[in-house]
Structure formats: C-alpha cells, structure tokens
C-alpha cells in the first residue's frame, strides 16, 4: 500500500464521524474556523531516525531546527502565521543528555525566529532510535486561507525559490560528503513563513502548498483536488546551483511554496513579491482544464514518468 492509499483509507474510515466544525484530512493543515474572519490551523509531522535523518549525518542542533521548520512550512502553505507548537520526543539510551539539550537549542532558535512558543508535548524513552513529532498551530483570517483544491484553469503556476538543492544535498550526505553547502541546505531548511503570510493576503493567489515531496508529486495533489491539469515548462523550473533538472522536479524537502494565481494579476503579483522579498516568484507553467500533468520542452510535450520523493 502507498502512503497516499493509506491516508485515503483513513479518511474514508473516519468520514462518518461528526466533523466538530473542522475541515480535516487532505490539505497541508486542518482548519477550524472561529468567530468572525479568524481560523486556527493544525499540522503534525513525524521524523524517525534512519528514515528521515541519520544521527551521524546531522548535528542535534540542526535536527531540532529542522523538526520545527518543516511544520512551520505547512502553516505557511495555508497562507497564515504560525502561533505555537507542541513537541513529543522519544529518546533511546544512547542519545545523551548533551544531544537532547543541543536538539532543544536548535528548536528554540527557530521558535524564537518565528515567535512561536513551545506550549506542550511529551517525552519518553525509546527502545531504539530517536523519534520526533511536532504539532504546529497557526492562526489567520479565513479569507487568507489557501487550499490545494482551489486552482483554476488559466492560472499561472509559481514556485517561491530554487528547487533540487535539498535532494542534491541528500545525495551528497548518503555518499558520505557531509560538509558541502548542499548537504547543509538539506539539514537546515528555511520555512517560507513571511512569504506564505504575504501570499495568503493576496486574493489573486488561488491554490498553495509547500514542496516537501517534490514538484512532480506535490503538484499532482493540487491537480487532483482541483480537478484540473497543468503544463510545466521544463526550462522555467529554477534549478538550484549544484542540482540537476530531474532532482529539481522530483527531489524532496525543498520547503519552497508552490502556488497558482489568476493569470491577469500574475505579473503584478510577481513584481510586488520581488519588491517585498528581493527574490523572484518563478513562473513555471499553467493550470489547464484538461486533467493530467504535461511536461513541455520548448513548448512540445515530453513523455517523462517523473515522480516525487517518498520516505514511506
Ligand atoms: P504534508 O506533506 O503537507 O505534511 P502529507 O502528505 O503528510 O501532508 O499528508 C496529506 C494529508 O493527510 C494531510 O492533510 C495530513 O494531515 C493527512 N494525514 C497524513 N497521515 C495521516 C494519518 N496517519 N492520520 C490522519 N491524517 C493523516
Ligand atoms: Mg505540506
């Protein structure tokens, strides 16, 4: 069974329960609308040793920062601001107190940067391997929320940064090269918290999500939920220095934002994004009414069976 097959089974199994006002499984966060135009959003991510990280290939401090950053990225993907987090951690005997304290220092540094207090969690012993679970809570106007299902035919598709750096860094780490710039990039993702909040306030932005599994896989979630297709111009994909095009399209953990925007407002949106952040909003293609994902090279369709990255 695939990861998404399992999630779909879970969703169906629980579909008949009362929703208690929540919009649940399927987007980067679950949503709870409050009174007025406010909503809370919730997301949770698990990192397990040997699957998501190798203890010898990361510092405890970096891992602490990354555990929080990947959750803040899911809040940013909804177009609102993170407000607090909970942290649960299972530590085996061979993880020292020093390791645990450094992990918390890394977590604190990112928490301080984004003004997100740690409000609870759980601590326990593990028989083998470190397991980390973070739950992040966000808050913002309902009218700013961006969902995967809201892409419309004709929309321009953008990404907020260069892709493939993290995937290329992971390859270097697995080859034993830990001290390279790309390996460091892989271990220290920067969540696009300010960008997400800014894009949330723009009504011309329709659908948004963060890129955790790779463009080839993540874009398909937007297409499936929006019942649309897309054309992606291969030469427009911003490839990080040191990465290649396929890694940019399929590699995971870049944690940039993927969004679609009304075509008539897209140029102004990109210009104002550049003024605000000093970096481009990269246009990579268009949403189409015809379902399916089409890769174009010099405007011609190219048959590529590209898929994203999966830990599962
Ligand atoms: P993301 O990559 O944005 O964190 P995922 O691909 O992990 O999202 O998950 C897709 C959706 O499925 C999300 O809405 C997530 O909350 C939900 N989900 C994932 N695993 C489970 C689970 N075990 N139980 C309930 N919901 C889940
Ligand atoms: Mg996500």
């Amino acid at each position: 069974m695939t990861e998404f097959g399992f999630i779909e089974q879970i969703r169906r199994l629980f579909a008949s329960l009362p929703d208690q006002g929540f919009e649940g499984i399927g987007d980067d966060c679950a949503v709870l609308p409050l009174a007025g135009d406010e909503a809370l959003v919730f997301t949770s991510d698990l990192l397990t040793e040997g699957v998501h990280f190798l203890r010898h290939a990361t510092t405890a401090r970096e891992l602490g920062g990354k555990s929080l950053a990947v959750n803040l990225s899911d809040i940013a993907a909804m177009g609102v601001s993170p407000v607090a987090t909970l942290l649960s951690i299972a530590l085996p005997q061979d993880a020292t107190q020093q390791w645990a304290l450094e992990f918390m220092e890394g977590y604190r540094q990112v928490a301080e940067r984004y003004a997100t207090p740690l409000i609870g969690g759980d601590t326990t012993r593990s028989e083998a391997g470190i397991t980390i679970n973070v739950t992040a809570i966000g808050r913002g106007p309902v009218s700013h929320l961006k969902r995967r299902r809201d892409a419309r035919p004709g929309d321009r598709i953008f990404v907020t940064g260069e892709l493939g750096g993290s995937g290329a860094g992971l390859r270097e780490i697995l080859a034993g090269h830990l001290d390279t710039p790309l390996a460091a990039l892989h271990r220290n993702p920067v969540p696009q918290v300010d960008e997400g909040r800014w894009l949330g306030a723009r009504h011309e932005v329709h659908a948004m999500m963060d890129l955790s599994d790779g463009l080839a896989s993540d874009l398909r979630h937007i297409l499936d939920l929006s019942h649309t297709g897309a054309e992606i111009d291969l030469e427009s994909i911003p490839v990080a220095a040191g990465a290649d095009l396929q890694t940019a399209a399929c590699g995971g953990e870049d944690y940039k934002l993927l969004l679609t925007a009304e075509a008539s407002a897209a140029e102004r949106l990109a210009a104002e994004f550049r003024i605000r952040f000093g970096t481009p909003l990269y246009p990579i293609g268009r949403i189409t009414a015809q379902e399916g994902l089409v890769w174009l090279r010099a405007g011609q369709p190219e048959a590529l069976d590209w898929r994203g990255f999966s830990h599962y």
Side-chain angles (χ1 to χ4, degrees):
M1 183 163 46
T2 66
E3 174 185 349
F4 294 109
F6 183 48
I7 294 172
E8 185 51 27
Q9 282 199 326
I10 294 173
R11 202 183 60 74
R12 284 201 206 127
L13 193 60
F14 286 80
S16 61
L17 271 67
D19 63 21
Q20 304 284 9
F22 277 85
E23 206 178 283
I25 299 175
D27 221 305
D28 291 287
C29 291
V31 174
L32 178 66
L34 306 173
D37 186 38
E38 281 286 288
L40 292 176
V41 302
F42 302 83
T43 181
S44 187
D45 262 299
L46 189 67
L47 283 86
T48 57
E49 183 172 354
V51 177
H52 298 94
F53 64 92
L54 303 168
R55 210 187 310 176
H56 74 266
T58 179
T59 66
R61 181 182 291 274
E62 286 172 323
L63 190 63
K66 181 168 179 172
S67 303
L68 176 52
V70 301
N71 280 274
L72 299 184
S73 178
D74 276 321
I75 303 279
M78 298 302 291
V80 296
S81 308
V83 291
T85 68
L86 296 108
L87 165 68
S88 297
I89 184 161
L91 293 169
Q93 297 251 287
D94 60 357
T96 60
Q97 188 181 351
Q98 172 78 1
W99 191 96
L101 288 174
E102 277 180 23
F103 175 91
M104 290 315 306
E105 276 173 24
Y107 193 99
R108 187 183 182 284
Q109 200 174 357
V110 174
E112 186 169 42
R113 160 73 181 83
Y114 298 106
T116 50
L118 177 59
I119 59 165
D122 197 17
T123 306
T124 181
R125 197 170 62 83
S126 151
E127 278 302 315
I130 298 165
T131 298
I132 301 146
N133 172 241
V134 175
T135 298
I137 304 166
R139 181 171 188 154
V142 171
S143 55
H144 289 194
L145 289 170
K146 304 302 181 193
R147 298 176 176 86
R148 297 175 178 185
R149 61 170 187 255
D150 287 332
R152 302 180 204 163
D155 279 1
R156 293 293 140 79
I157 305 171
F158 292 97
V159 290
T160 57
E162 294 178 342
L163 306 180
S166 182
L170 175 60
R171 260 207 307 272
E172 292 178 355
I173 290 170
L174 294 175
H177 307 302
L178 306 185
D179 292 328
T180 70
L182 291 177
L185 185 71
H186 175 79
R187 293 190 300 261
N188 297 278
V190 178
Q192 305 229 284
V193 171
D194 298 332
E195 291 86 344
R197 182 193 301 117
W198 188 89
L199 291 163
R202 305 290 303 224
H203 66 268
E204 64 269 46
V205 176
H206 293 160
M208 185 154 72
M209 69 182 296
D210 69 328
L211 287 166
S212 54
D213 297 341
L215 176 67
S217 153
D218 289 331
L219 177 58
R220 283 191 176 90
H221 295 309
I222 287 183
L223 304 184
D224 289 348
L225 292 171
S226 305
H227 308 291
T228 57
E231 293 173 349
I232 298 296
D233 305 312
L234 287 166
E235 44 280 278
S236 300
I237 296 175
V239 181
D244 58 87
L245 180 62
Q246 188 172 351
T247 305
C250 305
E253 303 207 85
D254 283 311
Y255 297 105
K256 301 297 189 274
L257 299 172
L258 169 67
L259 58 129
T260 83
E262 183 69 38
S264 60
E267 261 181 49
R268 210 189 48 202
L269 177 76
E272 292 180 17
F273 184 93
R274 190 193 262 278
I275 290 167
R276 170 66 182 80
F277 295 104
T279 54
L281 205 51
Y282 297 92
I284 60 168
R286 295 150 299 280
I287 296 290
T288 58
Q290 172 78 43
E291 293 190 18
L293 172 52
V294 179
W295 304 101
L296 298 177
R297 198 183 296 273
Q300 296 304 311
E302 187 158 305
L304 295 171
D305 187 26
W306 281 0
R307 300 275 147 186
F309 179 79
S310 175
H311 287 111
Y312 191 69

